Structure formats: C-alpha cells, structure tokens
Amino acid sequence: MIVNLVPVTRDNWQACCALSLPAEQQDFVASNLYSIAEAQFYPTMQVRALINQSSTLVGLAVYGISPNTGQYRVARLMIDQAFQGQGYGRAAMQAILAEVAALGDVDQVWLSYREHNHAARNLYQSLGFQEQSCDPAGRIVAMYSLVAQD
C-alpha cells in the first residue's frame, strides 16, 4: 500500500474538506477545514492531502515543527470513513516518518490521541510509538524515535 503526501492547494482544498469521519469518531480530530485554516498561521506545519495509488484522495495530515514545543509532531491524521480499515493510516504514517527521517536533523516525532481512540493507539503502538504522558487536554502523548536502537 502506498500513500502519497501532496500539498493542499487551491485545486484540492475543498475536496479535502469534504472528507468525513463516522459520527463516533467526530471528537477524535479537528475538522479538515479547521486543520487547513489553522496551518496557514504556522509556517512550520505542513498540510498534506493523502492520495492512494489510484490517485484518489483518502485523507489529510498535518505535521511539522510545533510552534508551542519546538518538537516535530504529527498534529492531525485523518482517513475518510470510506477508506478506513484498508491500511491507509499505516501507509500515511510510514510516508510521514520516512519524510521526516530524510530531513536528517529530527530525532523524535511526537503525536497525541484520545484515550478512547483504540484504532489510533493500536496503529501508533504497532509502528513503534511509545506512550509518554497525558497532555493538559487528557490526550495520550506518544513519541517515535528516529534514532537507531542498538
């Protein structure tokens, strides 16, 4: 499974905003419209449309250097409800981690998720993210090390 990370542009932002989550996942991640708008104010954050091998839009990701902590973080990962459970979340995270590793100057990638988001927790743990703490909003904070383990 391959997911390509492409910039959100004038040509695809509305399609990105039309992606949706099932009702029970609505509180897991901010809307794509909010994510796209918010990222305009943080030049260190990248907003990427997630495109599959058939050139179909399957999700959205926001990642980069957090203006609050200075850490590299995945702020949002959203897979449209029609494409969930097909490996796109894993492929997207692998693509993000590969892109970050290629930068060469990042040792860790951080993210957070709601405790009751079991699919996210299972995905991130299976990729090697280690839970560290809870943030002030009660989300689990996890870290992925890009440094080779001996």
Side-chain angles (χ1 to χ4, degrees):
M1 170 87 45
I2 295 174
V3 170
N4 294 304
L5 309 171
V6 301
V8 173
T9 66
R10 178 176 29 178
D11 296 327
N12 66 10
W13 76 270
Q14 289 176 319
C16 290
C17 291
L19 297 171
S20 63
L21 293 171
E24 65 273 10
Q25 295 178 5
Q26 296 290 318
D27 71 330
F28 290 168
V29 65
S31 74
N32 288 351
L33 177 59
Y34 181 88
S35 295
I36 292 167
E38 180 183 45
Q40 302 310 305
F41 300 102
Y42 299 103
T44 60
M45 299 301 285
Q46 307 294 318
V47 183
R48 296 292 183 252
L50 308 176
I51 308 294
N52 71 9
Q53 293 170 295
S54 302
S55 299
T56 301
L57 177 65
V58 299
L60 184 88
V62 180
Y63 54 94
I65 299 170
S66 169
N68 298 327
T69 66
Q71 298 168 327
Y72 209 95
R73 66 178 281 110
V74 177
R76 308 265 163 41
L77 177 63
M78 181 272 188
I79 303 297
D80 183 82
Q81 62 183 333
F83 299 99
Q84 291 184 7
Q86 299 175 39
Y88 290 114
R90 173 176 298 285
M93 282 303 301
Q94 289 171 328
I96 291 166
L97 292 171
E99 184 176 291
V100 175
L103 296 173
D105 61 347
V106 179
D107 293 336
Q108 301 171 334
V109 177
W110 295 81
L111 53 72
S112 63
Y113 48 90
R114 301 216 185 272
E115 185 175 9
H116 60 282
N117 188 345
H118 302 294
R121 177 182 244 165
N122 292 338
L123 169 64
Y124 300 140
Q125 286 181 346
S126 74
L127 289 168
F129 280 86
Q130 300 293 316
E131 293 181 356
Q132 304 294 311
S133 62
C134 285
D135 68 11
R139 293 180 299 253
I140 295 171
V141 177
M143 184 269 298
Y144 180 89
S145 177
L146 292 167
V147 178
Q149 304 291 323
D150 291 329

